[in-house]
Amino acid sequence: MSVETASGEDLHAAMVDQLVADHAEKGLVMRPEVEAALRSVPRHLFTPDAALAEAYRADQAVVTKRIGDEAVSSVSAPWLIAEMLGQAADAVDGGLAGRHVLEIGSGGYNAALLRELVGPSGSVTTVDIDREVTDRATACLTAAGYDDVAVVCADAEQPVNPGRTYDLIIVTVGAWDISPAWTAQLAENGTLVVPLRTFGMTRSWAIRRTGDRLISYSQRLCGFVSMQGAGAHQVRYVDIADGVHLRLDEDQQVDRRAVGELLAQPQTQAWAGVSLPPRTVLADLDLWLASRITDAGQLFVVLTAQQEAVDSGVVAPAWRFGTPAALDNGAFCYRSTLRWNDDDMFDLGACAHGPDAASAAGRMVGQMRAWLDSGSPSPVLQVLPAGTPDGDLPAGTVLDKRHSRFVLTFTPA
């Protein structure tokens, strides 16, 4: 049966089958209750303007509102929803049945899935800053039979229901910081799942509350539309050559002309001298490099590039949409594309430009080897209030935000 002639039920079942298979391919196991929820909720009822085939694409978000060319609201890709729900179910002691959940960012579909997961003795409240979005979520939830989900139009940077706490707060918009209101509304030992920009890279962090601090339980790479309202934070882009940009997520000060002059100098390439199998997971390497660059006192930035700049050889980043880079007075250095050998194994490399290019590239591949030699450790994030004194912080790489102090460490995978 072709996609064009398949029924909604067939497409729905095939989507969930694909999600289960994709989990297994990543070495993950989908929890039975998450799979059951995915099979129960008809996704197409939350994407009424999309074709059935589009609604049930496992790898595709459905944009539901744009302002100009910018997507400001969407029903997230099913693979990402499934992974975040799995993070939540794993991190909440005893699972989600009977729990009280606050969702920040409304599309309706995720709230319906959460309603299935918490069951009759639990509750789901979903909040969004945009009245058009909450009205749409209310209509879709009602059409799908989930009219017991509380839908609130408010800026979730402030408490949604003052005095009430939740076992789980799940955020479905990209955040730069963690609002004190989220921590205040989180029950002791409760879990926050949030797509958080950390060193310029967004990950879905599952974080548990312990007193006034939050400690991560798991993390996954992801991407979301950005937070609006009081919690919004503007990402800055600096052009350093035609089609080549630096993405600045913190308050880094960059001399665009000086970086451009470094980039214009001949490229130096260094290799780690390793042979890694094709299925090696490198998801945590970039965050490791960001922490090591910061700890060394260099300026950490994220390199992005248009395809034309890559094709012409101006830059050769590991991923053109966001590659970690180090900047100092003598060099501009970034993680480069992989080098494959005849045995279908690959090596890790670094590209550098400037008078100190050889040393900079050597340092970066040394950091890559150190990550591999340490057993490819995974990042652990601790979040403490902004006023926490340095002496009360755990050891690790510190990243200061508006409301919080992030401390990043690594543990063996």
Side-chain angles (χ1 to χ4, degrees), residues 15-26:
M15 180 194 77
V16 182
D17 290 345
Q18 183 64 55
L19 292 173
V20 172
D22 290 346
H23 263 62
E25 187 173 348
K26 294 177 182 178

Side-chain angles (χ1 to χ4, degrees), residues 120-182:
S121 60
S123 69
V124 176
T125 300
T126 183
V127 58
D128 199 280
I129 196 172
D130 188 329
R131 174 64 67 182
E132 183 179 340
V133 171
T134 54
D135 286 349
R136 181 184 177 283
T138 297
C140 291
L141 284 162
T142 300
Y146 296 95
D147 52 5
D148 56 351
V149 172
V151 182
V152 179
C153 182
D155 186 344
E157 184 76 358
Q158 307 302 323
V160 176
N161 291 305
R164 182 178 180 183
T165 59
Y166 298 89
D167 304 299
L168 169 67
I169 298 176
I170 185 165
V171 183
T172 59
V173 289
W176 178 77
D177 195 5
I178 291 177
S179 166
W182 302 351

Side-chain angles (χ1 to χ4, degrees), residues 74-329:
S74 67
V75 178
S76 301
W79 73 265
L80 181 51
I81 289 175
E83 289 199 12
M84 290 181 70
L85 292 176
Q87 283 185 281
D90 287 342
V92 175
D93 287 336
L96 292 176
R99 303 297 183 175
H100 302 289
V101 179
L102 173 64
E103 180 195 33
I104 297 173
S106 293
Y109 177 58
N110 196 59
L113 293 168
L114 287 164
R115 193 69 193 87
E116 290 285 341
L117 287 165
V118 301
S121 60
S123 69
V124 176
T125 300
T126 183
V127 58
D128 199 280
I129 196 172
D130 188 329
R131 174 64 67 182
E132 183 179 340
V133 171
T134 54
D135 286 349
R136 181 184 177 283
T138 297
C140 291
L141 284 162
T142 300
Y146 296 95
D147 52 5
D148 56 351
V149 172
V151 182
V152 179
C153 182
D155 186 344
E157 184 76 358
Q158 307 302 323
V160 176
N161 291 305
R164 182 178 180 183
T165 59
Y166 298 89
D167 304 299
L168 169 67
I169 298 176
I170 185 165
V171 183
T172 59
V173 289
W176 178 77
D177 195 5
I178 291 177
S179 166
W182 302 351
T183 306
Q185 292 175 106
L186 199 60
E188 182 66 19
N189 299 318
T191 296
L192 170 67
V193 179
V194 54
L196 192 61
R197 297 207 304 273
T198 315
F199 287 101
M201 293 166 277
T202 300
R203 280 169 164 73
S204 171
W205 294 90
I207 317 175
R208 286 174 169 169
R209 178 183 174 183
T210 303
D212 66 347
R213 70 180 58 193
L214 303 166
I215 303 174
S216 69
Y217 181 86
S218 66
Q219 52 85 28
R220 303 274 192 276
L221 284 172
C222 68
F224 274 89
V225 298
S226 296
M227 180 81 66
Q228 301 179 52
H233 182 82
Q234 185 67 40
V235 178
R236 294 178 294 134
Y237 287 86
V238 175
D239 299 337
I240 57 173
D242 287 342
V244 183
H245 325 281
L246 300 182
R247 188 170 71 220
L248 309 178
D249 204 38
E250 309 300 332
D251 61 353
Q252 304 105 311
Q253 300 301 311
V254 172
D255 185 332
R256 179 186 67 81
R257 180 174 297 179
V259 182
E261 290 174 352
L262 288 173
L263 186 62
Q265 297 186 42
Q267 179 188 103
T268 297
Q269 178 85 58
W271 297 100
V274 297
S275 293
L276 302 174
R279 295 179 66 85
T280 301
V281 177
L282 300 176
D284 298 333
L285 173 58
D286 287 353
L287 208 52
W288 169 276
L289 291 176
S291 69
R292 295 308 181 263
I293 290 166
T294 301
D295 291 344
Q298 299 169 314
L299 185 64
F300 170 77
V301 294
V302 175
L303 172 67
T304 67
Q306 297 177 6
Q307 189 61 52
E308 293 82 358
V310 175
D311 293 341
S312 62
V314 177
V315 288
W319 190 48
R320 71 180 186 88
F321 297 105
T323 294
L327 180 63
D328 58 30
N329 292 331

Side-chain angles (χ1 to χ4, degrees), residues 21-103:
D22 290 346
H23 263 62
E25 187 173 348
K26 294 177 182 178
L28 305 173
V29 177
M30 184 178 289
R31 292 177 67 110
E33 66 269 32
V34 173
E35 180 181 348
L38 288 165
R39 294 195 186 278
S40 296
V41 179
R43 179 175 162 87
H44 70 277
L45 295 182
F46 298 90
T47 60
D49 297 327
L52 279 175
E54 182 182 3
Y56 288 110
R57 282 277 303 274
D59 60 350
Q60 181 173 295
V62 177
V63 176
T64 53
K65 183 175 180 179
R66 295 182 185 272
I67 297 179
D69 293 332
E70 181 183 4
V72 295
S73 183
S74 67
V75 178
S76 301
W79 73 265
L80 181 51
I81 289 175
E83 289 199 12
M84 290 181 70
L85 292 176
Q87 283 185 281
D90 287 342
V92 175
D93 287 336
L96 292 176
R99 303 297 183 175
H100 302 289
V101 179
L102 173 64
E103 180 195 33

